[in-house]
Amino acid sequence: LHTDMHEVIGHASGQINPGVGTPKETLKQYSSVSEEARADLVALYFIMDPKLVELGVMPSLESGKAQYDGYIRNGLMTQLQRLKPGEQLEQAHMRNRAMVTHWAMDMGREDGVIERRERDGQTYFVINDYGKLRDIFGRQLRELQRDKSEGDFQRIQQLVESYGTRVDADLHAEVLERVARL
């Protein structure tokens, strides 16, 4: 359902302000990652909408919560298994997921929306408030759409470079070690 909403609603929505060039022109090398993040955020925001349950698209909002759990886990940890030690994130979809999840952690830090925990030497990320996380995803979507609509290269560059490229070397090593045992 997330993928369907990402592709059909996410990529089909949003407008550029009159007189602003295309994202390829204004956002340059960050055009793809910002568009993938925006489409993901559309899907993430709407996957927790009770209307989907009312329409029978989902059995309950527990499906949305499961998507949030998986998305956060993938963006912060799981996708790191695809990188070699010392590599940074470069692929647009990986950068997008890292940017959205790290930015969400930062935005929700004061309220403890997403918590990093360790148990038996293993790292886990726990969502403590799904409603507040949905609100964060909505704020991120609003900001990314504004940046795209206005062609704000510097803002997109700052978001991607701050949240979507760097890899925590210790967490990466842990992920690789955990995956190797599988």
Side-chain angles (χ1 to χ4, degrees), residues 43-54:
L44 288 165
Y45 182 78
F46 285 109
I47 205 154
M48 284 292 287
D49 191 325
K51 188 70 172 178
L52 293 176
V53 176
E54 182 185 321

Side-chain angles (χ1 to χ4, degrees), residues 21-75:
T22 67
K24 290 276 186 207
E25 296 167 331
T26 60
L27 304 181
K28 302 174 182 152
Q29 70 267 29
Y30 301 106
S31 174
S32 292
V33 67
S34 71
E35 175 59 17
E36 293 303 331
R38 202 186 59 75
D40 265 1
L41 287 164
V42 167
L44 288 165
Y45 182 78
F46 285 109
I47 205 154
M48 284 292 287
D49 191 325
K51 188 70 172 178
L52 293 176
V53 176
E54 182 185 321
L55 293 171
V57 176
M58 295 186 325
S60 73
L61 288 181
E62 293 303 310
S63 299
K65 289 177 180 179
Q67 178 60 41
Y68 277 19
D69 290 338
Y71 191 89
I72 294 298
R73 183 176 50 251
N74 189 26

Side-chain angles (χ1 to χ4, degrees), residues 158-175:
Q158 183 265 330
L159 287 171
V160 174
E161 296 300 329
S162 296
Y163 295 112
T165 58
R166 295 185 190 94
V167 175
D168 176 327
D170 293 333
L171 183 58
H172 186 207
E174 178 187 332
V175 168

Side-chain angles (χ1 to χ4, degrees), residues 8 13 26-28 32-33 47 50 59 70 85 100 111 116 121 123 132-134 139 143 145 160 172-173:
V8 176
S13 65
T26 60
L27 304 181
K28 302 174 182 152
S32 292
V33 67
I47 205 154
V100 168
D111 293 329
R116 181 178 175 153
T123 304
K132 285 184 180 178
L133 183 54
R134 182 178 191 237
R139 288 196 322 255
E143 289 185 37
Q145 182 58 56
V160 174
H172 186 207

